[in-house]
Amino acid sequence: MFSFQSLSAVVLLACLAFTSLVLGVADVSIAGLFQGDEHAYTIFVVSRLPRLIAIILAGAGLSVAGLIMQQIVQNRFASPSTVGTIDCALFGYVMGLIFLGGASQWAHLGFIFTFSVAGTLLFVQFLQRLKFKNAVLVPLIGIMYGNVISALTTFIAYKFDLVQTMSSWTTANFASVLQGNYEILYLAIPACLLAYFFAQQFSAASVGESFAKNIGLNYQKIVFIGVMLVAVSSSAVVMIVGVIPFLGLIVPNVVSLFMGDNMKRILPWTAYWGVVLVLACDILGRVIIFPYEMPISMIISIFGGALFIYLVLRDRANA
């Protein structure tokens, strides 16, 4: 039996999903679909439905990835966009364009995934050797690390005349999502399920390496699994949609503020609110300058940047 909270969550998601399906330049009505309108059916199947599915998978995947990152790094301000994971994924994307050319999507994804894992592990290993882990210091170091990777990526893009191609991926937009070019995002489903399966181990790792070893947990193995799951979700989103900043930072923090820090309990709600946030921002981006679209990354950056500042100030006030 659904609680009122669960019922409200389902209704909210259903309303946003329905709005996303019917909103657009082309007039597609649900009545037309049931009446057999072929034009409406084509737009719905080829564009609207794939876009909705991509939004759901990207929102849930990146939000859960942020939650995992915060657990294994032991810092509430860690996320794929503040520890260099996204920047490494973009670096892998550019390198894939250079060395793989017109290879399949899966080949490019493998390249992006490899760079994401390697870059994130490098940062995590550096943090483990860092004695002073101030809450604000970790994301600042991560942002600087990401900027170095980003600068290297831009340099290589200039050298191989890929700047314009790379720029299109630095601004996330779901407008280009069509049937047949987004299915890699389904990797977010097993990533989220595995994150839920390992939730208790991630929670134990978040207490510290000594505690994890005392209860018989292989700390380095859990960290590696966490990095792999974060890299899978981040790589898929970067390749299909582009860079969505702050999503993995703000959603887990807001959920934990209201529901506590039990990862197994808050993980489904983190995925849910990630989907709701991306859906709401995507709808907003489609109506602000209708019939044109504003990239979703711009809207989330505004909300995410403001909330990040609030969380930093709140953390200092409660220190």
Side-chain angles (χ1 to χ4, degrees):
M1 186 175 180
F2 274 177
S3 65
F4 177 75
Q5 182 184 30
S6 300
L7 184 59
S8 301
V10 171
V11 171
L12 174 61
L13 182 59
C15 291
L16 289 173
F18 178 79
T19 303
S20 178
L21 287 175
V22 299
L23 182 64
V25 177
D27 186 16
V28 177
S29 65
I30 301 299
L33 291 174
F34 285 110
Q35 291 170 4
D37 186 339
E38 186 175 346
H39 177 68
Y41 177 80
T42 301
I43 293 176
F44 183 82
V45 172
V46 174
S47 177
R48 300 285 175 83
L49 188 58
R51 179 172 186 150
L52 175 61
I53 296 173
I55 290 171
I56 291 173
L57 295 174
L62 271 187
S63 299
V64 171
L67 180 61
I68 297 171
M69 185 62 71
Q70 290 170 17
Q71 298 292 315
I72 62 177
V73 177
Q74 304 161 38
N75 189 287
R76 70 174 65 246
F77 298 132
S79 74
S81 59
T82 59
V83 299
T85 303
I86 296 293
D87 299 282
C88 291
L90 193 59
F91 183 45
Y93 168 74
V94 171
M95 297 302 290
L97 290 177
I98 295 172
F99 291 104
L100 299 179
S104 67
Q105 276 191 332
W106 290 101
H108 282 279
L109 179 66
F111 230 73
I112 297 172
F113 173 73
T114 301
F115 277 83
S116 297
V117 171
T120 306
L121 280 177
L122 180 64
F123 181 75
V124 171
Q125 291 296 320
F126 170 75
L127 284 186
Q128 290 177 354
R129 288 167 172 75
L130 190 66
K131 293 183 179 180
F132 181 66
K133 295 183 180 180
N134 177 272
V136 180
L137 181 64
V138 170
L140 288 179
I141 294 175
I143 291 171
M144 288 188 289
Y145 171 68
N147 284 340
V148 172
I149 301 296
S150 180
L152 178 61
T153 304
T154 304
F155 172 78
I156 295 174
Y158 270 111
K159 184 175 177 63
F160 290 91
D161 196 24
L162 294 171
V163 175
Q164 187 173 359
T165 305
M166 186 193 75
S167 298
S168 65
W169 255 258
T170 58
T171 304
N173 197 338
F174 289 94
S176 60
V177 173
L178 298 171
Q179 184 184 39
N181 74 350
Y182 78 97
E183 283 75 10
I184 284 176
L185 284 173
Y186 279 110
L187 288 172
I189 296 176
C192 290
L193 292 176
L194 285 172
Y196 186 79
F197 178 79
F198 286 103
Q200 292 181 338
Q201 289 93 320
F202 290 142
S203 295
S206 69
V207 179
E209 184 173 0
S210 299
F211 175 81
K213 289 182 177 178
N214 287 338
I215 63 173
L217 190 68
N218 188 331
Y219 179 78
Q220 294 299 332
K221 178 183 175 182
I222 292 300
V223 169
F224 180 74
I225 291 173
V227 169
M228 293 280 285
L229 295 179
V230 170
V232 165
S233 296
S234 302
S235 300
V237 172
V238 166
M239 180 174 177
I240 302 302
V241 181
V243 178
I244 305 178
F246 291 114
L247 181 62
L249 169 69
I250 60 179
V251 176
N253 273 285
V254 171
V255 173
S256 64
L257 281 177
F258 291 97
M259 302 187 67
D261 296 320
N262 186 325
M263 182 175 175
K264 198 156 192 173
R265 178 170 177 261
I266 68 174
L267 190 147
W269 287 105
T270 299
Y272 168 81
W273 285 111
V275 172
V276 168
L277 178 61
V278 176
L279 255 177
C281 289
D282 181 67
I283 292 171
L284 186 62
R286 292 154 76 178
V287 300
I288 289 178
I289 53 175
F290 188 85
Y292 305 102
E293 289 192 26
M294 182 176 291
I296 188 175
S297 56
M298 295 178 61
I299 299 173
I300 290 186
S301 292
I302 296 172
F303 289 119
L307 187 56
F308 178 72
I309 294 172
Y310 166 75
L311 290 171
V312 170
L313 295 177
R314 182 180 183 275
D315 189 76
R316 291 178 62 87
N318 295 334

